[in-house]
């Protein structure tokens, strides 16, 4: 899989959530990862969330498929609902 993200958005994500967008790549390595459609559509693109374990904690990344690559939009700790979905499988 190929990944990409905007460096400016990465800096913003580090400030807001304390984690780099590059960490989102590791979420796709979790064999138990859960991919969910995102509720909001922005600018006509369908967004998705991946919920997976990274550094012994559940994290969620929002992403879009763009030109055959995964474009990471945000990465953060998972909320309670995302954790329940991950554990229910």
């Amino acid at each position: 899989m190929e990944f990409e993200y905007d460096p400016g958005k990465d800096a913003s994500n580090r400030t807001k959530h304390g984690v780099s967008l590059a960490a989102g790549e590791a979420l796709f390595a979790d064999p138990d990862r859960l991919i969910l459609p995102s509720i909001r559509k922005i600018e006509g693109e369908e967004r998705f969330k991946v919920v997976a374990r990274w550094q012994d904690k559940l994290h969620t990344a929002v992403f879009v498929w763009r030109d055959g690559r995964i474009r990471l939009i945000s990465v953060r700790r998972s909320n309670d609902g995302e954790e329940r979905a991950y554990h229910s499988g």
Side-chain angles (χ1 to χ4, degrees), residues 4-89:
E4 66 181 23
Y5 54 85
D6 178 87
K9 181 67 176 163
D10 180 50
S12 172
N13 199 82
R14 285 175 195 248
T15 300
K16 185 173 182 179
H17 301 294
V19 62
S20 168
L21 291 178
E25 295 181 33
L27 300 182
F28 287 84
D30 179 354
D32 296 321
R33 70 186 174 271
L34 179 65
I35 296 180
L36 304 165
S38 181
I39 295 171
R40 358 181 302 199
K41 273 190 168 180
I42 305 296
E43 299 173 10
E45 285 186 307
E46 188 174 5
R47 290 185 173 195
F48 298 88
K49 295 192 286 188
V50 59
V51 182
R53 188 167 302 282
W54 177 64
Q55 293 187 342
D56 295 323
K57 295 181 180 142
L58 288 178
H59 286 75
T60 298
V62 176
F63 69 96
V64 296
W65 290 99
R66 197 178 283 171
D67 298 324
R69 292 185 297 273
I70 295 170
R71 184 166 182 86
L72 296 162
I73 297 167
S74 71
V75 179
R76 59 175 170 72
R77 286 285 309 274
S78 298
N79 63 36
D80 291 341
E82 293 160 344
E83 287 191 19
R84 280 191 300 275
Y86 178 88
H87 291 297
S88 69

